Structures are given as structure tokens and as C-alpha cells.
Amino acid sequence: MSSGLIKQLLEAVEVIVRRELTQAIPRTGWATVVTASPLTIKLDGPADTPAVPATSLCGPLSVGARVFTQKHDRTIYVYGPPTSA
């Protein structure tokens, strides 16, 4: 098998895994920022929940920030950390 074909297969598997993972995510919830660039978050829940990519609607975030999220289709949007009243 050529390296180009293997790369294509691995990319296809990654797309499928991300799709399945994203479908299992609740519509809204809280999460913690794992990496800032690219933005990945770990949703609240079981300890073995993997980090998932997300799209920030609130600008840059720091690692460890608690954020509110909403899933729309296969994209997870981050609305930002809670603000004090």
C-alpha cells in the first residue's frame, strides 16, 4: 500500500471518529479549555471523555478556562467564560 493511500485512509478514519464523537456530545454544557491554539475543550462528564475541537465566539481563551458550549450540527461553539454580575 502506498503512503498516499494510507494517509487518505487515516484522514477518512479521523473524519468518521470526529463525526461520531461530536454526535455523542450534548447540545449545551460546560467545558474546560485544554489547548488555546488550536482550541480544544474537554466537556464535563466522565474522566475518559476526550478533548474535542471547538470554535470560539468570544475571542482568545486561556488554558484551564471554564466555558459554556453549544453544539450545532457537527460544530461546537464556545460562548466564553462566565462573567461576574
Side-chain angles (χ1 to χ4, degrees):
M1 219 185 267
S2 72
S3 62
L5 182 57
I6 291 172
K7 183 178 178 184
Q8 287 178 334
L9 287 171
L10 289 174
E11 288 171 354
V13 168
E14 182 180 358
V15 167
I16 292 168
V17 168
R18 282 192 179 188
R19 181 182 332 141
E20 293 299 316
L21 181 63
T22 304
Q23 288 176 350
I25 294 170
R27 216 136 165 70
T28 60
W30 290 95
T32 303
V33 175
V34 176
T35 62
S37 181
L39 179 61
T40 58
I41 58 170
K42 183 166 176 19
L43 295 158
D44 289 358
D48 61 345
T49 304
V52 293
T55 301
S56 175
L57 298 178
C58 60
L61 293 163
S62 58
V63 172
R66 296 284 297 153
V67 293
F68 185 74
T69 64
Q70 182 177 31
K71 179 180 83 167
H72 181 69
D73 292 331
R74 287 186 236 148
T75 304
I76 300 171
Y77 295 101
V78 173
Y79 289 103
T83 57
S84 58

